[in-house]
Amino acid sequence: GFNGHRHLPEALIVYLKSIGCNVRILIPGDSQQLSATVPNGTTMEKVDASLISSQMVFHDALRVHLLVQHRQSSDPLYGRLVQTVGNGSAPSLGTHALHQPGKGQLAVALPLITHVYHTLDDSTVEASMRRALEWLFGRVDEHGLPNQFGRLCTDNVRRRTGEVAAAYANGVKRRVVICATNHQKDVWNELIHQLRVEDRDRLGGDNTGRAYKSVDCAASVGDDNGEHELAEQSIAENSNLYQHLDASVPKSILQLQIGDVVMLAKTICSRSGLVKNEIYTIAELRTYTVVVQNFAEVLHTIPRTRFVINVNAAGNIKIARKQFPFHHAWAITVHKSQGATLERSLLDLCSVYWEHGQGYVAIGRTQRAVDTGAFVNDNCSVSRDGGGPPVPIMAVVCLQSLLAR
């Protein structure tokens, strides 16, 4: 659905009217999902940017409301939970620390989710994360081959499995960890990369992977008043220090293996379907290019591309980075998961969902409660009556001003 700024459809409508074009415009969307993207915007700015605030688009439009959660039609109880999380009617634990009505934030219990992994269940947090990943991806499939981490770790295994490997590659793309922050996403992706390396070493084979280092330089900014020198200094100090400034830019050192699931960091060719945020599997690693495979098993050869990072708020110190346009996508943020239907998902609830629609989007990616897991700590879980795994607690922000009425 559309979650851009309302000015875009408004401009389209004005243009079509100006040339006498009498057409109907269908704008699918869900006001319970993430609000319009306004970089560093306030709540009021996001409300103003949404279609809800558009007299031209929303108030004068014929609206058709979706009354049933079709994605969860096979699990009505879970569908009802998703629906109440989305419209803000889910019961909140009033005494829980995550319950902050002043921010529009509810502390919603998720007792239907029973695949729950606590940071204290094992000797270390990493051990608990590994166990959660084993549930999410599995370790051995019906063919006796290591699933997810090791299945495509070697070229030999990939050649041997043929169509099975292709089916596997499509399947793993529909199993992901969903995180609130880019930092948590990176933690999970790094751990999964480590697990794949361990399985690769155990299985043997010729897929040792590659580490691709970016080429960074100061970008041209027009009149040079010392900005070029400052940009060069930033590069010399440590290229990773400014990585957090723009999460859309690939890492300075990109570790890739055959079978890795990646997301495109920018649009390469719209006609070929190589658009930003599309998911692909790494099929071949070369020196100057990388071959990726999509769901339809179509191969694409991708070169390095150019990204620009604004080092300071004024935007007059810029660094250009040339790197392969990939982010690992074993774990993704809530924003990147919007619109996807997943076979299985693991929700990392340790970082609080702070924005309207995040909780609704995160919990609604799967069709059944049994296909949704949660990774929690003491701050986002409570004991389950009668024993068993803890009950996950999700921070749900639902602003009535952003909901369709």
Side-chain angles (χ1 to χ4, degrees), residues 139 146 148-155 157 192-211 255-258 260 285:
R139 298 292 283 193
Q148 183 65 20
F149 307 124
R151 179 71 175 277
L152 296 183
C153 277
T154 70
D155 288 336
V157 170
I192 293 170
H193 173 78
Q194 179 183 335
L195 290 170
R196 296 196 72 228
V197 170
E198 291 174 4
D199 274 353
R200 179 199 70 199
D201 293 341
R202 179 170 56 83
L203 292 170
D206 52 357
N207 177 23
T208 56
R210 280 179 178 258
Q255 301 273 358
L256 295 177
Q257 296 182 79
I258 291 176
D260 276 355
L285 300 173

Side-chain angles (χ1 to χ4, degrees), residues 18-30:
S18 70
I19 61 175
C21 184
N22 184 23
V23 298
R24 289 183 177 180
I25 301 175
L26 175 64
I27 305 177
D30 187 346

Side-chain angles (χ1 to χ4, degrees), residues 211-214 239-240 243 250-255 321 323:
Y212 295 98
K213 192 178 188 311
S214 66
S239 60
N240 289 322
Q243 182 70 45
K251 293 182 178 298
S252 174
I253 299 178
L254 191 59
Q255 301 273 358
R321 168 170 293 176
Q323 180 60 290

Side-chain angles (χ1 to χ4, degrees), residues 10 33 45 62 69 76 103 111 139 184 229-230 236 246 262 266 268 303-304 312 318 352 366 368 375 385 388 391:
E10 286 177 345
Q33 296 194 70
E45 288 173 332
L62 173 65
Q69 298 294 128
K103 298 181 180 179
R139 298 292 283 193
Q184 285 301 104
E229 182 178 347
L230 287 172
D246 190 345
V262 295
K266 69 184 306 183
I268 307 299
R304 293 178 188 259
N312 63 344
K318 300 176 183 288
V352 175
T366 52
R368 304 177 302 167
F375 188 74
D385 292 341
V391 176

Side-chain angles (χ1 to χ4, degrees), residues 130-145:
R130 286 173 177 248
R131 196 161 52 84
L133 290 172
E134 289 184 6
W135 168 79
L136 178 63
F137 296 123
R139 298 292 283 193
V140 178
D141 67 7
E142 67 274 18
H143 301 279
L145 292 171

Side-chain angles (χ1 to χ4, degrees), residues 43-63:
T43 298
M44 289 304 300
E45 288 173 332
K46 292 180 179 181
V47 172
D48 180 67
S50 71
L51 288 178
I52 301 295
S53 302
S54 175
Q55 180 70 33
M56 183 183 300
V57 177
F58 187 78
H59 295 283
D60 295 340
L62 173 65
R63 289 173 303 214

